[in-house]
Amino acid sequence: MNFSSSFFAGILWTALLAPAVAGLPQGQNSQAAVSQLGAVSFAGVPQSTQTIVVRVDSVLKKPPAVSLKKGDNVTVELKDPSAFQQGTQATFYTEGWIFGSGVAVKELGHEFNAGGASAAGAGTGETALGYTQEQISDQELRDRLNSADFVVIGRVTDVHRWTVPKSATPRRVSEHDPDWHEAVVQVQSVLKGAQVKGNKVVVRFPGRNDVAWVHSPKFEKNQQGI
Amino acid sequence: MKALAAFWMRLLAFTLLALIAATVLFEKQSPPKTGVGGDGLPSAGTLGPVYASQTQVKLVDLIPASLSGEANQDSEPFLAIQTANPQVMVASAFTPNPVSSTGNAPVYVSQDGGNSWVLNAITPVPRMTCDITHAMPTGENHPRGDLHAGTLACAASITLDESESNDVSSSAVMNVQSTRSNVDQPFVRALGISNADHIYVGINDFNQPNGRTATVDVSVDGGATYKSFSIEARNTAGQDGPSVRPAVAADNTVYAAFFGWRKFNGKTATSDVVVVRDDAGGTGPNPFQALRDPSDKLPGRLVVKRVSIPWSNAPTLGQERIGSTLSIAVDPNNSSTVYVGWADRGRKGDIYTLHVRRSTDRGLTWSKADLPHTTISNATNIALAVANNGAVGLLYQQLSGGRWVTHIVQSHDAFATVQDVILANVPANAPVQQFLPYLGDYDYLLSVGNEFRGVFCANNSPDLADFPQGVTYQRAADFNTKTLTDGSGNPVPISIDPFYFSVPVIP
């Protein structure tokens, strides 16, 4: 399970934990209080001393697919249950675990709310969350730029099927055949890497709408971007 | 006075009669349980020279309530049932991690015999698998294991992981035991023997030399080690077809079926349907050579020769692609009886036609023609299973009148007489496909005790008319308005969902 899955926040100090969630592209953020220790909130979740049930006071952010609203009970698998008591209010940073009639998540970190949650605090939390999301978005872009060998701004001028050279590995027939295509990109400026001869680069991409490639970019003529 | 009393008595009696009649009528027309629970409804649909039967069908949409807002194309389902405790089951589909593109791809877990399901993100693949099958033989005796899975990761290099979980409800990610690339469509079957799991993974392995790609990976130590065996003995068109399907009997007999591609022109494969057998669980140095074809004396019995199989990696049968649907099933208590089913071009005008043949002499000879009622046009996703009492089950999905109709057929006499139950009859033009496969390159059927259990995918519109045997939705759905909601009252578009079902084996 990767760290960057989701986070579930119980109180309002999300901004204070911004560095800890800087890699979290999406998730859940709610206000909640501990209602049961050593318990689970729905069948199908293994109960242990590390599981607690928290009641959601408000939802600040969540993936659209996940049904979670004020008053719902959520199971949290804690790293250190000794730090929690019934009634504790805290901000939990978590990743998804089990989805059934309710939601169960695994704690990545937490922050206690010494003063208790409040309606006014929820607004502060939303502001902090917005700031955090901006940071996450900027960090994601920085990460992508750092991992790329070559970054340009340009426009797609042509898209065509790639003809596999005869010297290449024998063609294999599979439902997952990528059906490679090529997009010719007219370079407007180079953000990273050396200058390009002729100001054109070719980007090879899978043209197939198979499940293996559904999340891969599909380029079209006249698209512009980084 | 007497006349007046008699009039009132007659009126009272008539009113009572009318009330009773209205109650009966109301009960007959009422939707099953709350509109979301059709569990245990009678009324099996029947076709042809069949015997009608009141069948208790359990049909459950696997999407859990807490994911009511999802609208993914959760296609290509699979199912594993724990041998020691059939209340525990694992299902899968092309369901992404609900919250993250980097989180682990999930599986569905039931611990109550399929009445309820949860999603647990434990596969070793990020986000979503692009092929997954599994089995739970429990030779190693874990209460909520042992799940053995074959998964393909959707990445630039498609990678096979053969992995294991000892507790499918825990948060522990499955342990990868073997991995390699350049393969297609892993298909896992397994058998628990004493304290070791025997695992058989059918794979189209492009690493095999000379294009003899039909392969079975065999592990007799619970997945700790695997050996790969090509089961193709003949020259191919550069490779075999994607589907390689093992079947395992309790006496350690292992069959495998595959498409031996002899020619391929990009649109049509000229293919043999080949069955191999091993009588010692694939443990010998040269396994799967017990059957030889009389025509060339080579290993692998040719059930049919040189049939034309259309290959289209684009919407062709409705919104579904076609090219490789194949199933094999062995009688668990009589390994001499084995069934094989596949699809080819069939008759002129058909897009894709299913066929089923049977052998009763351990694969030496096969029925020369399709078994009765098993030549089925415009259909795909064939899945066969044989119950303990010898009844054979046939699951398939047929495009008929602009709708996808999912059938579970049973027979005691090699389909001479059949019970045909329609599980779903849903629009084929909605939702619009997000990717291929639309419903899946396969669905699945198993037998356990006195039940056939299986999984298929279908349009999830909450319309009781689409599910003649009734249906239970875990996700938020309003069967009166035929709409899905996100649990907070907001509408959710229809999509493809995986459905679990069980039906009693015919006595």
Side-chain angles (χ1 to χ4, degrees):
Chain A
M1 195 68 83
N2 191 292
F3 178 85
S4 58
S5 288
S6 71
F7 68 97
F8 171 85
I11 56 168
L12 316 173
W13 300 344
T14 311
L16 296 178
L17 291 181
V21 297
L24 305 181
Q26 53 182 317
Q28 302 162 136
N29 184 10
S30 329
Q31 295 183 320
V34 176
S35 59
Q36 288 177 280
L37 300 171
V40 295
S41 54
F42 62 99
V45 182
Q47 186 175 347
S48 75
T49 55
Q50 286 186 286
T51 55
I52 64 170
V53 177
V54 301
R55 191 194 66 251
V56 176
D57 294 327
S58 70
V59 178
L60 302 179
K61 180 178 181 284
K62 69 174 182 62
V66 176
S67 297
L68 188 66
K69 58 185 183 300
K70 180 181 179 180
D72 284 352
N73 288 321
V74 172
T75 303
V76 182
E77 187 184 60
L78 298 170
K79 289 181 172 176
D80 178 14
S82 67
F84 289 83
Q85 298 174 0
Q86 201 159 337
T88 302
Q89 291 179 303
T91 301
F92 295 101
Y93 296 82
T94 68
E95 58 186 350
W97 177 19
I98 295 176
F99 297 86
S101 57
V103 174
V105 293
K106 290 191 289 186
E107 182 205 4
L108 297 167
H110 69 265
E111 187 79 3
F112 290 117
N113 176 20
S118 70
T124 310
E126 285 169 0
T127 304
L129 179 66
Y131 172 70
T132 305
Q133 287 173 331
E134 278 183 24
Q135 282 194 318
I136 292 169
S137 181
D138 290 347
Q139 185 61 45
E140 278 182 333
L141 181 58
R142 274 194 293 272
D143 290 345
R144 291 195 66 179
L145 292 173
N146 288 337
S147 65
D149 294 328
F150 197 70
V151 182
V152 302
I153 297 174
R155 184 173 67 88
V156 177
T157 57
D158 183 40
V159 173
H160 54 258
R161 180 170 280 167
W162 179 51
T163 305
V164 182
K166 289 183 179 176
S167 59
T169 307
R171 179 169 177 252
R172 299 303 192 186
V173 180
S174 156
E175 292 98 340
H176 305 307
D177 180 354
D179 187 19
W180 292 111
H181 280 58
E182 291 182 332
V184 180
V185 178
Q186 180 73 41
V187 176
Q188 292 162 353
S189 64
V190 177
L191 301 182
K192 184 179 179 184
Q195 279 301 319
V196 183
K197 190 177 179 181
N199 279 338
K200 283 186 179 178
V201 294
V202 174
V203 180
R204 197 165 295 152
F205 66 96
R208 187 77 68 195
N209 193 28
D210 174 76
V211 59
W213 309 108
V214 66
H215 299 299
S216 302
K218 307 285 191 295
F219 295 104
E220 294 176 8
K221 194 172 176 180
N222 292 324
Q223 280 181 320
Q224 295 185 73
I226 301 176
Chain B
M1 277 304 280
K2 277 186 179 177
L4 191 61
F7 168 77
W8 283 110
M9 286 298 290
R10 279 197 295 272
L11 185 62
L12 183 62
F14 176 77
T15 305
L16 277 171
L17 195 65
L19 274 173
I20 292 167
T23 304
V24 170
L25 188 66
F26 178 77
E27 284 181 350
K28 286 187 79 168
Q29 293 181 340
S30 291
K33 300 176 181 179
T34 74
V36 293
D39 193 359
L41 282 180
S43 76
T46 54
L47 287 176
V50 299
Y51 50 87
S53 169
Q54 297 293 301
T55 300
Q56 300 291 311
V57 176
K58 178 190 293 181
L59 180 61
V60 181
D61 183 323
L62 295 186
I63 300 298
S66 60
L67 294 175
S68 292
E70 74 90 47
N72 302 308
Q73 183 175 305
D74 302 286
S75 54
E76 196 157 289
F78 207 76
L79 179 69
I81 305 171
Q82 199 199 45
T83 311
N85 179 10
Q87 293 292 100
V88 176
M89 291 186 282
V90 170
S92 58
F94 290 144
T95 298
N97 185 292
V99 293
S100 168
S101 61
T102 53
N104 296 74
V107 293
Y108 299 86
V109 177
S110 176
Q111 297 185 54
D112 59 6
N115 290 321
S116 65
W117 296 81
V118 301
L119 199 66
N120 193 4
I122 59 170
T123 80
V125 175
R127 190 176 203 171
M128 185 169 87
T129 63
C130 61
D131 265 346
I132 175 170
T133 62
H134 34 80
M136 298 180 81
T138 63
E140 296 163 27
N141 197 28
H142 293 107
R144 292 186 295 260
D146 302 285
L147 181 73
H148 296 281
T151 54
L152 293 186
C154 307
S157 171
I158 293 176
T159 304
L160 165 72
D161 286 333
E162 291 164 324
S163 56
E164 180 187 37
S165 168
N166 291 333
D167 185 349
V168 294
S169 72
S170 78
S171 56
V173 175
M174 296 182 74
N175 177 39
V176 176
Q177 298 170 302
S178 174
T179 188
R180 69 183 188 273
S181 60
N182 207 25
V183 301
D184 191 20
Q185 216 175 100
F187 200 92
V188 178
R189 303 297 297 259
L191 181 67
I193 294 182
S194 63
N195 61 350
D197 292 337
H198 288 199
I199 306 156
Y200 305 91
V201 188
I203 298 174
N204 204 23
D205 187 346
F206 301 126
N207 302 297
Q208 294 286 7
N210 304 316
R212 296 177 179 182
T213 56
T215 298
V216 177
D217 279 9
V218 178
S219 174
V220 293
D221 55 10
T225 59
Y226 279 94
K227 289 182 180 177
S228 287
F229 300 100
S230 171
I231 54 173
E232 172 65 276
R234 298 172 178 85
N235 292 330
T236 69
Q239 66 173 88
D240 293 304
S243 303
V244 182
R245 303 290 189 248
V248 188
D251 67 357
N252 231 7
T253 300
V254 183
Y255 292 92
F258 65 95
F259 290 119
W261 279 9
R262 308 307 171 208
K263 288 183 185 173
F264 183 74
N265 66 8
K267 293 182 177 177
T268 301
T270 302
S271 178
D272 299 331
V273 175
V274 188
V275 171
V276 298
R277 194 188 81 221
D278 191 86
D279 297 328
T283 55
N286 298 299
F288 302 108
Q289 297 190 10
L291 283 175
R292 289 177 184 266
D293 198 78
S295 64
D296 57 10
K297 307 292 189 285
L298 290 172
R301 188 71 167 88
L302 306 179
V303 179
V304 291
K305 296 180 185 178
R306 308 245 163 191
V307 293
S308 291
I309 299 177
W311 176 267
S312 174
N313 210 340
T316 302
L317 189 62
Q319 297 189 72
E320 189 57 284
R321 68 184 177 194
I322 56 175
S324 189
T325 184
L326 177 69
S327 182
I328 185 169
V330 58
D331 187 325
N333 299 313
N334 176 11
S335 62
S336 295
T337 298
V338 57
Y339 296 82
V340 66
W342 75 95
D344 58 29
R345 192 179 302 283
R347 293 167 295 197
K348 189 176 181 182
D350 289 346
I351 299 171
Y352 208 40
T353 300
L354 299 181
H355 312 268
V356 179
R357 305 282 175 100
R358 181 178 71 155
S359 170
T360 56
D361 57 6
R362 301 182 70 73
L364 291 174
T365 61
W366 291 81
S367 47
K368 291 194 167 27
D370 292 349
L371 299 175
H373 307 111
T374 67
T375 306
I376 302 164
S377 61
N378 295 332
T380 187
N381 289 345
I382 189 168
L384 293 160
V386 184
N388 280 329
N389 68 357
V392 59
L394 163 63
L395 175 69
Y396 67 93
Q397 297 186 287
Q398 185 175 36
L399 186 66
S400 176
R403 300 178 73 83
W404 278 110
V405 185
T406 303
H407 296 253
I408 172 69
V409 181
Q410 295 186 57
S411 178
H412 265 311
D413 51 12
F415 297 101
T417 57
V418 297
Q419 179 200 73
D420 186 343
V421 175
I422 292 176
L423 298 170
N425 183 338
V426 302
N429 62 351
V432 173
Q433 58 125 331
Q434 298 172 16
F435 57 82
L436 290 169
Y438 180 66
L439 300 177
D441 293 326
Y442 44 78
D443 50 21
Y444 203 45
L445 183 68
L446 289 166
S447 72
V448 56
N450 61 353
E451 289 182 324
F452 282 112
R453 299 182 185 182
V455 280
F456 66 91
C457 289
N459 172 315
N460 66 1
S461 182
D463 185 344
L464 286 171
D466 290 355
F467 303 98
Q469 314 305 319
V471 66
T472 298
Y473 274 43
Q474 302 182 111
R475 64 186 302 163
D478 186 332
F479 280 74
N480 292 316
T481 60
K482 300 175 184 175
T483 54
L484 301 171
T485 69
D486 64 357
S488 298
N490 303 307
V492 173
I494 61 164
S495 59
I496 298 295
D497 279 356
F499 290 82
Y500 164 80
F501 71 90
S502 67
V503 298
V505 172
I506 55 176

